[in-house]
């Protein structure tokens, strides 16, 4: 493969080699930037492909399976990305290799290589980092390490950059904004002031919201539902099980008061889930800027194990809905608390928060979107849309 840097162009080409924090996704992309206009976008995606490790046998992410998937899939994805690099016919450049009959025209050499540096499973991150280092050394270009959480926060701006001005004015969040990162490995509320200035307002003290949903799903879902779903994403299966007809079944009403929010909601089955951090001994945690989901997960486990064979399908559906409601209201409550605290601090109109970005795998849950829309109605919400070519 012939690679060259086209010095006649002032665009930046980056080869991005990224591993998701859950460590079971291997993704590679080629992106080129330019000046954004009304009719042309600020970025062009030449290549983007993701492969997810098959962890179905283990009912969750298995580190060794994820690592083997990275080691198997990463090199072929990089090879495909290199094939997708734009061609360069500038043979006058000292870095250019003229075209020949075997390999065709030369390729523009990336201006730098980016790679996820964390957080995530260390062996999987190392697989990507070592590959990216090799590419950067071979091409004599810089290596840029990217924080996975910061990338989540800025994803809507990238999506906007891939569209022309006339298409994206309402999609690019204006600084400052809040980002709610919800995934299988992370639950974090971030205050983004600039591209490089991000403050963590709250994070989980135990497990992530996605981990809670997945663990609840393993106890609630009947085996035949999992086996017939053809899916390995337990959160997605649980949502379909709880709401088989989709968002029309949500019928969610937000609590009117804080007391109503933290009180247990009675069910038809002699059990009730407590809101996370609502029933600590001193009560001091009920308004703490932090997330906690392990207690709710343990409660779901106890209910399922206690009921065992006596648990009907209708009861399982109700428990699935209640588990998601409790978890998502906990997330929404911290967003509201953060907005109120920031409103007291930031007085200038330019400092007000107008946008909430919700990113991560759990952001695709339609019931979470319903809860957010009810509890955070005074901010516009952007979902970090997946990027596709």
């Amino acid at each position: 493969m012939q690679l060259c840097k086209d010095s006649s162009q002032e665009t930046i080409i980056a080869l991005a080699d990224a591993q998701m924090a859950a460590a079971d996704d291997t993704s590679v992309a080629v992106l080129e930037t330019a000046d954004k206009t009304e009719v042309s976008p600020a970025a062009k995606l030449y290549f983007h492909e993701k492969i997810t490790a098959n962890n179905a046998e283990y009912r969750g992410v298995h580190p060794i399976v994820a690592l083997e998937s990275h080691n198997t899939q990463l090199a072929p994805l990089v090879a495909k990305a290199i094939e997708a690099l734009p061609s360069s016919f500038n043979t006058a450049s000292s870095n250019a290799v003229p075209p020949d009959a075997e390999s065709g025209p030369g390729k523009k050499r990336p201006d730098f290589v980016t790679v996820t540096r964390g957080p995530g499973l260390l062996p999987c991150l190392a697989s990507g980092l070592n590959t990216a280092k090799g590419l950067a050394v071979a091409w004599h270009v810089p290596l840029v390490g990217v924080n996975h959480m910061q990338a989540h926060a800025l994803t809507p701006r990238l999506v906007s950059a891939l569209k022309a001005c006339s298409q994206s004015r309402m999609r690019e969040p204006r600084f400052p904004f809040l980002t709610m990162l919800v995934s299988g490995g992370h639950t974090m509320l971030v205050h983004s002031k600039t591209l490089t200035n991000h403050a963590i307002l709250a994070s989980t003290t135990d497990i992530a919201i996605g981990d809670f949903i997945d663990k609840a799903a393993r106890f609630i879902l009947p085996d035949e539902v999992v086996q017939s779903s053809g899916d390995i994403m337990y959160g997605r299966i649980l949502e379909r099980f709880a709401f088989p007809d989709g968002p029309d079944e949500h019928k969610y009403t937000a609590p009117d008061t804080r007391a109503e929010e933290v009180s247990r909601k009675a069910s038809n089955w002699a059990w009730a889930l407590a809101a996370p951090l609502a029933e600590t001994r001193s009560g001091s945690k009920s308004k703490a800027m932090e997330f906690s989901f392990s207690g709710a997960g343990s409660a779901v486990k106890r209910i399922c194990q206690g009921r065992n064979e006596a648990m009907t399908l209708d009861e399982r559906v109700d428990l699935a809905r209640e588990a998601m409601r409790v978890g998502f209201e906990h997330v929404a409550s911290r967003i509201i608390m953060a907005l109120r605290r920031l409103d007291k601090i930031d007085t200038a109109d330019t400092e007000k928060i107008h946008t909430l970005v919700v990113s991560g795998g759990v952001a695709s849950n339609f019931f979470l979107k319903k809860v957010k829309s009810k509890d955070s109605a005074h901010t516009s919400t952007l979902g970090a849309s997946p990027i596709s070519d």
Side-chain angles (χ1 to χ4, degrees), residues 16 53 204 275 345:
T204 181
I345 298 173

Side-chain angles (χ1 to χ4, degrees), residues 330-342:
H330 182 49
V331 170
S333 70
R334 269 48 191 177
I335 295 171
I336 293 173
M337 289 164 57
L339 288 168
R340 288 174 177 170
R341 294 184 184 188
L342 289 172

Side-chain angles (χ1 to χ4, degrees), residues 35-43 155-174 355 382 385:
D35 292 331
K36 190 170 185 175
T37 69
E38 284 293 324
V39 295
S40 62
T155 295
R157 294 180 64 86
L158 173 59
V159 173
S160 175
L162 292 169
K163 300 177 181 294
C165 287
S166 58
Q167 299 173 307
S168 62
R169 283 195 181 111
M170 298 304 294
R171 291 189 58 84
E172 180 172 327
R174 186 184 67 185
T355 304
L382 291 179
S385 305

Side-chain angles (χ1 to χ4, degrees), residues 207-386:
I207 64 174
I209 178 67
D211 192 14
F212 160 63
I213 295 296
D214 285 351
K215 287 178 177 177
R218 292 187 185 98
F219 288 108
I220 295 172
L221 294 172
D223 289 339
E224 58 269 20
V225 171
V226 177
Q227 293 168 4
S228 64
S229 68
D231 202 339
I232 60 174
M233 307 299 289
Y234 279 86
R236 197 158 55 203
I237 303 172
L238 186 70
E239 183 183 8
R240 288 198 299 262
F241 176 74
F243 305 104
D245 292 332
D248 291 340
E249 285 190 278
H250 288 166
K251 297 180 177 61
Y252 172 74
T253 302
D256 292 326
T257 64
R258 175 68 175 163
E260 183 182 347
E261 175 198 333
V262 299
S263 63
R264 290 175 180 252
K265 185 177 180 181
S267 72
N268 297 323
W269 312 99
W271 50 254
L273 295 181
L277 302 180
E279 298 179 359
T280 54
R281 290 184 179 180
S282 65
S284 60
K285 287 287 188 179
S286 66
K287 294 185 179 180
M289 284 301 295
E290 60 187 53
F291 301 102
S292 175
F293 301 97
S294 61
S298 297
V300 171
K301 178 181 178 180
R302 286 195 299 270
I303 292 169
C304 292
Q305 291 181 337
R307 299 283 294 162
N308 203 5
E309 298 297 330
M311 183 173 276
T312 65
L313 199 63
D314 287 341
E315 184 178 358
R316 291 179 185 276
V317 168
D318 282 353
L319 184 56
R321 293 179 176 182
E322 185 65 1
M324 285 189 284
R325 182 195 67 81
V326 166
F328 296 158
E329 278 192 356
H330 182 49
V331 170
S333 70
R334 269 48 191 177
I335 295 171
I336 293 173
M337 289 164 57
L339 288 168
R340 288 174 177 170
R341 294 184 184 188
L342 289 172
D343 278 344
K344 294 178 181 179
I345 298 173
D346 301 330
T347 56
D349 183 62
T350 54
E351 295 296 322
K352 296 293 183 182
I353 301 294
H354 297 285
T355 304
L356 170 68
V357 172
V358 184
S359 185
V362 185
S364 63
N365 187 295
F366 284 98
F367 189 48
L368 172 60
K369 296 176 184 179
K370 181 73 171 183
V371 174
K372 292 199 319 307
S373 67
K374 293 290 186 180
D375 289 348
S376 306
H378 56 297
T379 60
S380 60
T381 303
L382 291 179
S385 305

